[in-house]
């Protein structure tokens, strides 16, 4: 059975310190490490760089300020990376290609914050529809996307290979902006 993180009581406090910044090619190694903490099949930094070279590509990095031991306030200059979003696409459509939050920081609104920031950024670029693909058995992500207004528009059977069983379908979700 998959253990699901309960909604964190510190959610609002944590989300308050959340900082979202645009990524550059200098972040590829960091994004690959974060990706590896979030997915079984980790992308390496070359793959992240390839994604960032796609048309319309951008990435967002989520961080929280570190609170040094014994300090009364967090240090805004020292940030802990906790999540990311990678997006690409052409004309008035974009695809959310990857989104992840490291396990210790889940259920605090980080992914929701990333998605809102993606909406804001792509709206400003004149995008009218955002797509993504999610594994049919990824209940956590499907709940998140439903809460963010995405709706199912397609299904690709056998899309994601699984080491411990049969391949799983991808559900294509879309959100009008
Ligand atoms: C899916 C994932 C990105 C969610 O990140 P997160 O920061 O924990 O999500 P949020 O805290 O912003 O959750 C926002 C809402 O989504 C839903 N949700 C997210 N995770 C959930 C879970 N484990 N169980 C139930 N609902 C969940 C809830 O409605 C939640 O709101 P609530 O906490 O007020 O109930 C994270 O679990 C993750 O990185 N998973 C592994 C990688 C992955 O599957 N990425 C998506 C691939 S398409």
């Amino acid at each position: 059975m998959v253990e699901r993180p309960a909604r964190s009581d510190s959610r609002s406090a944590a989300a308050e310190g959340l900082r979202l910044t645009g990524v550059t090619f200098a972040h590829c190694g960091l994004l690959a490490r974060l990706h590896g903490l979030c997915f079984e099949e980790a992308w390496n930094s070359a793959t992240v760089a390839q994604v960032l070279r796609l048309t319309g590509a951008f990435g967002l990095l989520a961080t929280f300020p570190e609170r040094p031991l014994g300090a009364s306030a967090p240090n805004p200059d020292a940030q802990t990376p906790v999540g990311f979003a990678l997006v690409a696409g052409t004309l008035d459509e974009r695809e959310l290609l990857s989104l992840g939050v490291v396990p210790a920081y889940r259920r605090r609104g980080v992914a929701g914050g990333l998605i809102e920031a993606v909406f804001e950024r792509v709206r400003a670029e004149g995008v009218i529809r955002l797509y993504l693909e999610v594994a049919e058995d990824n209940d956590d992500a499907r709940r998140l996307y439903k809460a963010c207004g995405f709706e199912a528009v397609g299904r690709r059977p056998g899309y994601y290979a699984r080491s411990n069983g049969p391949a799983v379908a991808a559900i294509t979700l879309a959100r009008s902006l």
Side-chain angles (χ1 to χ4, degrees):
M1 197 176 118
V2 181
E3 198 176 313
R4 300 193 187 290
R7 179 178 166 152
S8 166
D9 288 342
S10 60
R11 178 190 177 107
S12 52
E16 265 170 36
L18 179 65
R19 182 184 286 185
L20 302 175
T21 47
V23 305
T24 67
F25 284 96
H27 291 103
C28 289
L30 171 61
L31 289 172
R33 284 197 295 281
L34 289 173
H35 193 281
L37 292 170
C38 296
F39 294 93
E40 257 179 57
E41 281 189 26
W43 289 358
N44 61 26
S45 57
T47 304
V48 175
Q50 238 174 350
V51 167
L52 288 177
R53 277 190 213 103
L54 296 171
T55 307
F58 69 91
L60 295 175
L61 177 67
T63 61
F64 281 117
E66 284 171 13
R67 186 188 287 268
L69 210 59
S72 56
N75 173 6
D77 294 330
Q79 296 280 321
T80 302
V82 300
F84 66 93
L86 290 167
V87 177
T90 53
L91 302 175
D92 57 4
E93 293 182 349
R94 294 288 183 277
E95 186 172 350
L96 180 56
L97 294 170
S98 192
L99 172 81
V101 175
V102 298
Y105 283 84
R106 289 181 187 163
R107 296 311 297 278
R108 294 169 185 231
V110 176
L114 281 162
I115 290 174
E116 281 303 321
V118 167
F119 288 166
E120 202 177 312
R121 159 100 185 228
V122 300
R123 262 193 211 111
E125 293 172 353
V127 168
I128 57 167
R129 225 157 147 75
L130 184 64
Y131 290 91
L132 63 85
E133 259 158 14
V134 61
E136 196 166 41
D137 61 357
N138 190 343
D139 294 335
D140 298 349
R142 291 187 68 181
R143 280 195 196 94
L144 165 75
Y145 295 133
K146 191 174 178 202
C148 293
F150 284 87
E151 286 176 358
V153 294
R155 184 176 184 275
R156 298 177 194 220
Y159 190 75
Y160 294 104
R162 290 284 187 257
S163 53
N164 55 352
V168 170
I171 307 296
T172 306
L173 302 180
R175 167 71 148 82
S176 296
L177 297 165

